[in-house]
Amino acid sequence: MRPNDGTLAIGELAERTGASVRSLRHYEQRGLLAAERTAAGHRRFPEETVETVRRIRMFLDGGLPLSIVAMIIPCFTAQGAGLDACVAGYLRDRLDTVEARIDALDQQRRTLRSLRRLALT
């Protein structure tokens, strides 16, 4: 029987967010999510946790380590639509690093293409 109190079991949260149950437990263990426990010890997450998990996954998809994600999550503005300026510098630096890696990979690709042409002649 499911409580009708506006909370989600971990399986429901996983289904709604696409995150695995294992990942959700890990996020909780790292302090990114908070769950209440039922008398039977089952986790119950508030409805707003769905959006928090989506944000966590977005940052992870952007290549940010979980330790940084933990610092950024509280920087969402009260309405949740934007990020506080507190993370702008970090995100700018991270983007610069990624773009530099892409440039280096592009150069490697050009070099390898040149070498392949030499090998084919």
Side-chain angles (χ1 to χ4, degrees), residues 34-74:
E36 297 289 323
R37 297 289 182 143
T38 66
H42 299 283
R43 293 171 176 87
R44 299 298 301 181
F45 294 91
E47 177 69 30
E48 58 269 12
T49 307
V50 171
E51 186 60 31
T52 301
V53 172
R54 288 184 181 145
R55 290 173 182 164
I56 291 167
R57 292 174 53 87
M58 177 181 61
F59 286 123
L60 293 174
D61 289 346
L64 299 171
L66 205 52
S67 59
I68 298 298
V69 174
M71 292 187 299
I72 292 175
I73 287 294

Side-chain angles (χ1 to χ4, degrees), residues 54-98:
R54 288 184 181 145
R55 290 173 182 164
I56 291 167
R57 292 174 53 87
M58 177 181 61
F59 286 123
L60 293 174
D61 289 346
L64 299 171
L66 205 52
S67 59
I68 298 298
V69 174
M71 292 187 299
I72 292 175
I73 287 294
C75 293
F76 271 92
T77 59
Q79 296 78 24
L83 280 169
D84 189 273
C86 70
V87 297
Y90 177 81
L91 293 175
R92 183 181 54 250
D93 292 346
R94 183 70 178 183
L95 181 58
D96 289 347
T97 299
V98 168

Side-chain angles (χ1 to χ4, degrees), residues 6 8 20 24 31-32 35 52 57 65 73 79-81 96 107 115 119:
L8 303 168
S20 69
L24 295 172
L32 293 165
T52 301
R57 292 174 53 87
I73 287 294
Q79 296 78 24
D96 289 347
Q107 179 58 46
L115 291 170

